[in-house]
CSV table of all heavy atoms in Angstrom, one decimal:
chain,number,residue,atom,x,y,z
A,297,LEU,N,-7.3,-15.7,22.5
A,297,LEU,CA,-7.2,-14.4,23.1
A,297,LEU,C,-7.9,-14.3,24.5
A,297,LEU,O,-7.6,-13.5,25.3
A,297,LEU,CB,-7.7,-13.3,22.2
A,297,LEU,CG,-7.1,-13.1,20.9
A,297,LEU,CD1,-7.8,-12.0,20.1
A,297,LEU,CD2,-5.6,-12.8,20.9
A,298,GLY,N,-8.8,-15.3,24.7
A,298,GLY,CA,-9.7,-15.3,25.9
A,298,GLY,C,-10.9,-15.9,25.4
A,298,GLY,O,-11.0,-17.0,25.0
A,299,LYS,N,-12.0,-15.1,25.4
A,299,LYS,CA,-13.3,-15.6,24.9
A,299,LYS,C,-13.2,-15.8,23.4
A,299,LYS,O,-13.9,-16.6,22.7
A,299,LYS,CB,-14.4,-14.7,25.3
A,299,LYS,CG,-14.7,-14.7,26.7
A,299,LYS,CD,-16.0,-13.8,26.9
A,299,LYS,CE,-16.3,-13.5,28.4
A,299,LYS,NZ,-15.2,-12.6,28.9
A,300,ARG,N,-12.4,-15.0,22.7
A,300,ARG,CA,-12.2,-15.0,21.3
A,300,ARG,C,-10.9,-15.8,20.9
A,300,ARG,O,-9.9,-15.8,21.6
A,300,ARG,CB,-12.1,-13.6,20.8
A,300,ARG,CG,-13.4,-12.9,20.9
A,300,ARG,CD,-13.4,-11.5,20.1
A,300,ARG,NE,-14.7,-11.1,19.9
A,300,ARG,CZ,-15.3,-10.1,20.6
A,300,ARG,NH1,-14.7,-9.4,21.5
A,300,ARG,NH2,-16.6,-9.7,20.3
A,301,THR,N,-11.0,-16.3,19.7
A,301,THR,CA,-9.8,-17.0,19.1
A,301,THR,C,-9.6,-16.5,17.7
A,301,THR,O,-10.6,-16.3,17.0
A,301,THR,CB,-10.1,-18.6,19.1
A,301,THR,OG1,-10.4,-19.0,20.4
A,301,THR,CG2,-9.0,-19.3,18.4
A,302,LEU,N,-8.4,-16.4,17.4
A,302,LEU,CA,-8.0,-16.0,16.0
A,302,LEU,C,-7.6,-17.3,15.3
A,302,LEU,O,-6.8,-18.1,15.7
A,302,LEU,CB,-6.9,-15.1,15.9
A,302,LEU,CG,-7.0,-13.7,16.7
A,302,LEU,CD1,-5.8,-12.9,16.5
A,302,LEU,CD2,-8.3,-13.0,16.3
A,303,GLN,N,-8.2,-17.5,14.1
A,303,GLN,CA,-7.8,-18.7,13.3
A,303,GLN,C,-7.2,-18.2,12.0
A,303,GLN,O,-7.7,-17.2,11.5
A,303,GLN,CB,-9.1,-19.5,13.0
A,303,GLN,CG,-8.8,-20.8,12.1
A,303,GLN,CD,-10.1,-21.6,11.9
A,303,GLN,OE1,-10.9,-21.7,12.8
A,303,GLN,NE2,-10.1,-22.2,10.8
A,304,PHE,N,-6.1,-18.8,11.6
A,304,PHE,CA,-5.3,-18.3,10.5
A,304,PHE,C,-5.5,-19.1,9.2
A,304,PHE,O,-5.5,-20.3,9.3
A,304,PHE,CB,-3.9,-18.1,10.8
A,304,PHE,CG,-3.7,-17.2,12.1
A,304,PHE,CD1,-3.5,-17.7,13.2
A,304,PHE,CD2,-3.8,-15.9,11.9
A,304,PHE,CE1,-3.4,-16.9,14.4
A,304,PHE,CE2,-3.7,-15.0,13.0
A,304,PHE,CZ,-3.5,-15.6,14.3
A,305,VAL,N,-5.6,-18.5,8.1
A,305,VAL,CA,-5.6,-19.2,6.8
A,305,VAL,C,-4.6,-18.6,5.9
A,305,VAL,O,-4.7,-17.4,5.5
A,305,VAL,CB,-7.0,-19.1,6.1
A,305,VAL,CG1,-7.0,-19.9,4.9
A,305,VAL,CG2,-8.0,-19.6,7.1
A,306,GLU,N,-3.5,-19.3,5.5
A,306,GLU,CA,-2.5,-18.8,4.6
A,306,GLU,C,-3.2,-18.6,3.2
A,306,GLU,O,-4.0,-19.5,2.8
A,306,GLU,CB,-1.3,-19.7,4.4
A,306,GLU,CG,-0.5,-19.7,5.7
A,306,GLU,CD,0.5,-20.9,5.7
A,306,GLU,OE1,0.0,-22.0,6.0
A,306,GLU,OE2,1.7,-20.6,5.2
A,307,ALA,N,-2.9,-17.6,2.6
A,307,ALA,CA,-3.5,-17.2,1.2
A,307,ALA,C,-2.4,-16.8,0.2
A,307,ALA,O,-2.5,-15.7,-0.2
A,307,ALA,CB,-4.6,-16.2,1.3
A,308,PRO,N,-1.4,-17.7,0.0
A,308,PRO,CA,-0.3,-17.3,-0.8
A,308,PRO,C,-0.7,-16.9,-2.2
A,308,PRO,O,-1.6,-17.5,-2.8
A,308,PRO,CB,0.6,-18.5,-0.8
A,308,PRO,CG,-0.2,-19.7,-0.4
A,308,PRO,CD,-1.3,-19.1,0.5
A,309,MET,N,-0.2,-15.8,-2.7
A,309,MET,CA,-0.4,-15.2,-4.0
A,309,MET,C,-1.8,-14.5,-4.1
A,309,MET,O,-2.3,-14.2,-5.2
A,309,MET,CB,-0.1,-16.2,-5.2
A,309,MET,CG,1.3,-16.7,-5.2
A,309,MET,SD,2.5,-15.4,-4.9
A,309,MET,CE,2.3,-14.1,-6.2
A,310,LEU,N,-2.4,-14.3,-2.9
A,310,LEU,CA,-3.6,-13.5,-3.0
A,310,LEU,C,-3.3,-12.2,-2.1
A,310,LEU,O,-4.0,-12.0,-1.1
A,310,LEU,CB,-4.8,-14.2,-2.4
A,310,LEU,CG,-5.2,-15.4,-3.2
A,310,LEU,CD1,-6.5,-16.2,-2.6
A,310,LEU,CD2,-5.7,-15.0,-4.7
A,311,HIS,N,-2.5,-11.4,-2.5
A,311,HIS,CA,-1.9,-11.4,-3.8
A,311,HIS,C,-0.4,-11.4,-3.8
A,311,HIS,O,0.3,-11.3,-4.8
A,311,HIS,CB,-2.4,-10.2,-4.6
A,311,HIS,CG,-1.9,-8.9,-4.1
A,311,HIS,ND1,-1.3,-8.0,-4.9
A,311,HIS,CD2,-2.0,-8.3,-2.9
A,311,HIS,CE1,-0.9,-6.9,-4.2
A,311,HIS,NE2,-1.4,-7.2,-3.0
A,312,TRP,N,0.2,-11.6,-2.6
A,312,TRP,CA,1.6,-11.8,-2.4
A,312,TRP,C,1.9,-13.2,-1.7
A,312,TRP,O,1.0,-13.7,-1.1
A,312,TRP,CB,2.2,-10.7,-1.5
A,312,TRP,CG,2.5,-9.4,-2.2
A,312,TRP,CD1,2.1,-8.9,-3.3
A,312,TRP,CD2,3.5,-8.4,-1.6
A,312,TRP,NE1,2.7,-7.7,-3.6
A,312,TRP,CE2,3.5,-7.4,-2.6
A,312,TRP,CE3,4.2,-8.3,-0.5
A,312,TRP,CZ2,4.3,-6.2,-2.4
A,312,TRP,CZ3,5.0,-7.2,-0.3
A,312,TRP,CH2,5.1,-6.1,-1.2
A,313,PRO,N,3.1,-13.6,-1.8
A,313,PRO,CA,3.4,-15.0,-1.1
A,313,PRO,C,3.1,-15.0,0.3
A,313,PRO,O,2.7,-16.1,0.9
A,313,PRO,CB,4.9,-15.2,-1.4
A,313,PRO,CG,5.3,-14.3,-2.5
A,313,PRO,CD,4.3,-13.1,-2.4
A,314,ASP,N,3.2,-13.9,1.0
A,314,ASP,CA,3.0,-13.8,2.5
A,314,ASP,C,1.5,-13.7,2.9
A,314,ASP,O,1.3,-13.8,4.1
A,314,ASP,CB,3.7,-12.6,3.0
A,314,ASP,CG,3.1,-11.3,2.4
A,314,ASP,OD1,3.4,-11.1,1.2
A,314,ASP,OD2,2.4,-10.5,3.1
A,315,SER,N,0.6,-13.5,2.0
A,315,SER,CA,-0.8,-13.0,2.3
A,315,SER,C,-1.4,-14.1,3.2
A,315,SER,O,-1.2,-15.3,3.0
A,315,SER,CB,-1.6,-12.9,1.1
A,315,SER,OG,-1.1,-11.8,0.3
A,316,MET,N,-2.2,-13.6,4.1
A,316,MET,CA,-2.8,-14.5,5.1
A,316,MET,C,-4.2,-13.9,5.5
A,316,MET,O,-4.4,-12.7,5.5
A,316,MET,CB,-2.0,-14.5,6.3
A,316,MET,CG,-2.4,-15.4,7.5
A,316,MET,SD,-1.2,-15.6,8.7
A,316,MET,CE,-1.4,-14.2,9.7
A,317,PHE,N,-5.3,-14.7,5.9
A,317,PHE,CA,-6.5,-14.3,6.4
A,317,PHE,C,-6.5,-14.6,7.8
A,317,PHE,O,-6.0,-15.6,8.3
A,317,PHE,CB,-7.6,-15.0,5.7
A,317,PHE,CG,-7.8,-14.9,4.2
A,317,PHE,CD1,-8.7,-15.7,3.6
A,317,PHE,CD2,-7.1,-14.0,3.4
A,317,PHE,CE1,-8.9,-15.6,2.2
A,317,PHE,CE2,-7.2,-13.9,2.1
A,317,PHE,CZ,-8.1,-14.7,1.4
A,318,THR,N,-7.2,-13.7,8.6
A,318,THR,CA,-7.4,-13.9,10.0
A,318,THR,C,-8.9,-14.0,10.3
A,318,THR,O,-9.7,-13.1,9.8
A,318,THR,CB,-6.8,-12.8,10.9
A,318,THR,OG1,-5.4,-12.8,10.7
A,318,THR,CG2,-7.1,-13.0,12.4
A,319,TYR,N,-9.3,-15.1,10.9
A,319,TYR,CA,-10.8,-15.3,11.1
A,319,TYR,C,-11.0,-15.2,12.6
A,319,TYR,O,-10.4,-15.9,13.4
A,319,TYR,CB,-11.2,-16.7,10.6
A,319,TYR,CG,-12.6,-17.0,10.6
A,319,TYR,CD1,-13.5,-16.1,10.1
A,319,TYR,CD2,-13.0,-18.3,10.9
A,319,TYR,CE1,-14.9,-16.5,10.0
A,319,TYR,CE2,-14.4,-18.7,10.9
A,319,TYR,CZ,-15.3,-17.7,10.4
A,319,TYR,OH,-16.6,-18.1,10.4
A,320,VAL,N,-11.9,-14.3,13.0
A,320,VAL,CA,-12.2,-14.1,14.4
A,320,VAL,C,-13.4,-14.9,14.9
A,320,VAL,O,-14.5,-14.8,14.3
A,320,VAL,CB,-12.5,-12.6,14.7
A,320,VAL,CG1,-12.5,-12.4,16.2
A,320,VAL,CG2,-11.3,-11.7,14.1
A,321,LEU,N,-13.1,-15.8,15.8
A,321,LEU,CA,-14.3,-16.7,16.4
A,321,LEU,C,-14.5,-16.3,17.9
A,321,LEU,O,-13.5,-15.9,18.5
A,321,LEU,CB,-13.8,-18.1,16.3
A,321,LEU,CG,-13.7,-18.7,14.9
A,321,LEU,CD1,-13.0,-20.0,14.9
A,321,LEU,CD2,-15.2,-18.9,14.4
A,322,PRO,N,-15.7,-16.3,18.4
A,322,PRO,CA,-16.9,-16.9,17.7
A,322,PRO,C,-17.7,-16.0,16.9
A,322,PRO,O,-18.7,-16.3,16.3
A,322,PRO,CB,-17.7,-17.5,18.9
A,322,PRO,CG,-17.5,-16.5,19.9
A,322,PRO,CD,-16.0,-16.0,19.8
A,323,ASP,N,-17.1,-14.7,16.6
A,323,ASP,CA,-17.9,-13.7,16.0
A,323,ASP,C,-18.1,-14.0,14.5
A,323,ASP,O,-18.9,-13.4,13.8
A,323,ASP,CB,-17.1,-12.3,16.1
A,323,ASP,CG,-16.9,-12.1,17.5
A,323,ASP,OD1,-15.8,-12.5,18.0
A,323,ASP,OD2,-17.6,-11.4,18.2
A,324,LYS,N,-17.2,-14.9,13.9
A,324,LYS,CA,-17.2,-15.2,12.5
A,324,LYS,C,-17.0,-14.0,11.6
A,324,LYS,O,-17.7,-13.6,10.7
A,324,LYS,CB,-18.6,-15.8,12.1
A,324,LYS,CG,-18.8,-17.2,12.8
A,324,LYS,CD,-20.1,-17.8,12.2
A,324,LYS,CE,-20.3,-19.2,12.8
A,324,LYS,NZ,-21.4,-19.9,12.2
A,325,ILE,N,-16.0,-13.2,12.0
A,325,ILE,CA,-15.5,-12.0,11.2
A,325,ILE,C,-14.2,-12.4,10.5
A,325,ILE,O,-13.2,-12.8,11.2
A,325,ILE,CB,-15.3,-10.8,12.1
A,325,ILE,CG1,-16.6,-10.5,12.9
A,325,ILE,CG2,-14.7,-9.6,11.3
A,325,ILE,CD1,-16.4,-9.4,13.9
A,326,LEU,N,-14.3,-12.4,9.2
A,326,LEU,CA,-13.1,-12.6,8.4
A,326,LEU,C,-12.3,-11.4,8.1
A,326,LEU,O,-12.9,-10.4,7.6
A,326,LEU,CB,-13.5,-13.4,7.1
A,326,LEU,CG,-12.3,-13.8,6.2
A,326,LEU,CD1,-11.5,-14.9,6.8
A,326,LEU,CD2,-12.9,-14.3,4.8
Side-chain angles (χ1 to χ4, degrees):
L297 301 179
K299 293 186 191 67
R300 290 189 161 104
T301 299
L302 305 182
Q303 181 177 328
F304 303 101
V305 181
E306 291 167 277
M309 298 321 296
L310 294 178
H311 66 126
W312 274 22
D314 60 290
S315 297
M316 180 172 84
F317 299 169
T318 297
Y319 188 45
V320 185
L321 289 166
D323 309 85
K324 298 188 173 180
I325 300 174
L326 183 66

